[in-house]
Amino acid sequence: MVLIPVLGLKNLNGMMALLVGFALGSLVYGIIAYIRNSLAIPAAVMENLGVRAAMRRSKTLVAGRKGRIFLLGLLMIALYMVAGALQMPFALLILHSRSAEHVLVQVISLLVAFLCNSLIGPVAAIALCLFYIDERVRKEAFDIEFLMSKTSTGAAAASGDATVEPA
């Protein structure tokens, strides 16, 4: 192996430590990248942005607020752990079931997993959308801007400023 002496590693323990270090560094970078881009989908939908523009928009909205989104991620992990705890008895039943019962227990286990994931997945998406709106309100006074645009178009239509051409 030419790689080990080049890196200054004399034994396998050093190589394992290096691999664990790379894995932990990659995990930390992945979490930071997820947090930085977490508001990209709501930004793309609400503002009709492309992929890169939505990612840039998410980066500007998340600046200084990464802790809140990290805590939301921890909450989602906790909810998925609760869902896993609900699925655990069925997994144990599958291990101890005979072949005839095994199919029935497997179907029940899959239904419980489907229900848990169907309830938790939308909660995460809704929470990210609410965080997006909250960041727009805090940084850009989005709610006032939105109400003013609705009021100005509603007032123009009510006062008769809008002209309607006959067909």
Side-chain angles (χ1 to χ4, degrees):
M1 288 227 131
V2 177
L3 181 65
I4 292 176
V6 169
L7 294 175
L9 303 173
K10 303 276 188 228
N11 56 16
L12 191 58
N13 291 336
M15 185 65 143
M16 290 303 292
L18 183 68
L19 289 176
V20 168
F22 280 143
L24 290 177
S26 298
L27 179 69
V28 169
Y29 178 75
I31 291 171
I32 291 170
Y34 172 77
I35 290 171
R36 184 179 46 218
N37 294 315
S38 62
L39 300 180
I41 293 174
V45 171
M46 294 285 287
E47 300 177 27
N48 198 19
L49 299 174
V51 174
R52 290 197 184 268
M55 290 172 72
R56 280 192 296 272
R57 182 77 171 128
S58 176
K59 185 178 178 181
T60 58
L61 286 173
V62 169
R65 305 281 186 180
K66 290 180 177 77
R68 295 174 64 210
I69 296 175
F70 180 72
L71 289 176
L72 173 68
L74 288 179
L75 177 66
M76 290 298 114
I77 289 171
L79 286 175
Y80 277 112
M81 290 175 93
V82 168
L86 290 174
Q87 296 170 19
M88 188 60 66
F90 296 107
L92 293 175
L93 281 174
I94 289 172
L95 288 175
H96 297 294
S97 65
R98 300 207 190 296
S99 62
E101 308 169 333
H102 186 75
V103 174
L104 179 64
V105 175
Q106 183 72 29
V107 167
I108 293 171
S109 176
L110 288 174
L111 285 174
V112 169
F114 172 75
L115 288 174
C116 290
N117 290 329
S118 295
L119 294 174
I120 295 172
V123 169
I126 291 168
L128 283 175
C129 288
L130 290 175
F131 272 43
Y132 166 77
I133 292 171
D134 182 54
E135 290 304 316
R136 293 251 344 238
V137 167
R138 289 176 189 247
K139 291 189 177 184
E140 302 168 350
F142 174 67
D143 56 344
I144 296 169
E145 177 184 308
F146 183 70
L147 290 174
M148 291 299 287
S149 69
K150 288 291 185 185
T151 305
S152 65
T153 57
S159 67
D161 290 341
T163 58
V164 179
E165 295 182 21

